[in-house]
C-alpha cells in the first residue's frame, strides 16, 4: 500500500530517516572513493563583502559527529575568511543518481594538533607539494608559475625535506547543521530538509 510519508525508489520505500542515513553513507563514500562525484564538493565561504566558492577534495566524513573535512593551506584566503566568519556551505551533485546535497554548517580550523599531525603523516609527497610554495596561495606573480622551486615541482625532494610543509597545512572541519537533499526524477522531483539544530526532518517542495 502507498504510504504518503515515504518515497519509492526502484521499488524500495524510503522514510525521511532512511534518506538522512543515505546522505551520510554517500558522504562517507565520497571521502574514500576518488572517482565518486561526491569526492570534490564546491565549498562556499563569506569574505568581507562577497561570497567565494571553490572546489575541494572531501577527505573525511564522520557521520557520528556530523562532520566533513578537507585539507587546505593555512595561508589561503578561505582560511582567513573562515577565521572571521565560520559559516560554510558545501555543495555536492551526483549526475548518475541525480542527487544534490547542500550542507550548511560551521567550520572549525585545525592546525598544529593531533588531527593535522595524523593526516599529514598520511599525505603523499605529491600532495605535500601544495603546502610548499614560497609565497602564499593567491599571491600575484609576474610569470605563470606553480610557485614551487623546480626541484620540488619535479618531486626531487625527500619525505624529510617535505616536512617543512606541515607549518602551512590545515584542516577545515565542517560541523553540519543542516542537509538539503534534492532528488531529480522524471515523475516528480523530491526534496527533504534535515535540520540538526532543532532535530526536524521534513519533506519540502522541490
Ligand atoms: C579538483 C580540485 C580539487 C581541489 N582540492 C582542494 C582542496 O582539497 N583544498 C584546497 O585548499 N584547494 C583545493 N583546490 C583548489 C581550490 O579550488 C582553490 O582554487 C584554492 O584552494 C584557492 O582558494 P581560496 O583562494 O578560496 O582559498 C582544488 C581544486 C580543484 C579543481
Amino acid at each position: 500500500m502507498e504510504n504518503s510519508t515515504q518515497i519509492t525508489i526502484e521499488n524500495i520505500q524510503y522514510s525521511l530517516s532512511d534518506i538522512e542515513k543515505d546522505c551520510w553513507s554517500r558522504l562517507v563514500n565520497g571521502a574514500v572513493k576518488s572517482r565518486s562525484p561526491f569526492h570534490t564538493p564546491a565549498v562556499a565561504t563569506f569574505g568581507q563583502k562577497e561570497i567565494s566558492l571553490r572546489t575541494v577534495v572531501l577527505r573525511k566524513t564522520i557521520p557520528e559527529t556530523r562532520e566533513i573535512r578537507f585539507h587546505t593551506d593555512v595561508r589561503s584566503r578561505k582560511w582567513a575568511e573562515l577565521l572571521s566568519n565560520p559559516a560554510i556551505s558545501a555543495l555536492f551533485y551526483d549526475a548518475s543518481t541525480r542527487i544534490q546535497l547542500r550542507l550548511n554548517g560551521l567550520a572549525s580550523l585545525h592546525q598544529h594538533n593531533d588531527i593535522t599531525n595524523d593526516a599529514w603523516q598520511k599525505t603523499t609527497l605529491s600532495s605535500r607539494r601544495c603546502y610548499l610554495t614560497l609565497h602564499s596561495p593567491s599571491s600575484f606573480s609576474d610569470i605563470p608559475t606553480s610557485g614551487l622551486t623546480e626541484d620540488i615541482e619535479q618531486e626531487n625532494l625527500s619525505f624529510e625535506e617535505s616536512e617543512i610543509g606541515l607549518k602551512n597545512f590545515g584542516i577545515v572541519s565542517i560541523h553540519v547543521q543542516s542537509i538539503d537533499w534534492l532528488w531529480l526524477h522524471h515523475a516528480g522531483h523530491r526534496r527533504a530538509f534535515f535540520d540538526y539544530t532543532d532535530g526536524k526532518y521534513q519533506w519540502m517542495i522541490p
Side-chain angles (χ1 to χ4, degrees), residues 35-135:
R35 282 163 192 262
S36 160
F38 276 19
H39 193 56
T40 47
V43 166
T45 50
F46 196 70
Q48 297 293 345
K49 287 197 198 108
E50 56 193 17
I51 294 158
S52 22
L53 266 172
R54 78 287 290 161
T55 312
V56 298
V57 173
L58 178 65
R59 296 286 177 180
K60 199 173 180 78
T61 296
I62 313 171
E64 295 74 24
T65 51
R66 296 182 184 135
E67 240 182 286
I68 62 168
R69 293 180 185 165
F70 67 89
H71 299 173
T72 198
D73 193 310
V74 299
R75 300 168 298 168
S76 66
R77 283 185 184 163
K78 67 182 90 53
W79 191 269
E81 286 170 0
L82 288 167
L83 275 176
S84 65
N85 183 349
I88 188 161
S89 183
L91 176 71
F92 301 79
Y93 181 59
D94 181 343
S96 66
T97 57
R98 306 182 84 197
I99 291 173
Q100 171 184 269
L101 298 188
R102 291 201 297 179
L103 275 55
N104 271 9
L106 293 175
S108 60
L109 305 180
H110 297 277
Q111 191 187 6
H112 306 311
N113 66 14
D114 289 349
I115 291 175
T116 47
N117 290 339
D118 204 48
W120 178 255
Q121 293 319 316
K122 292 176 188 148
T123 55
T124 60
L125 199 55
S126 165
S127 306
R128 286 184 175 200
R129 286 185 306 178
C130 300
Y131 306 95
L132 292 168
T133 57
L134 190 58
H135 299 289

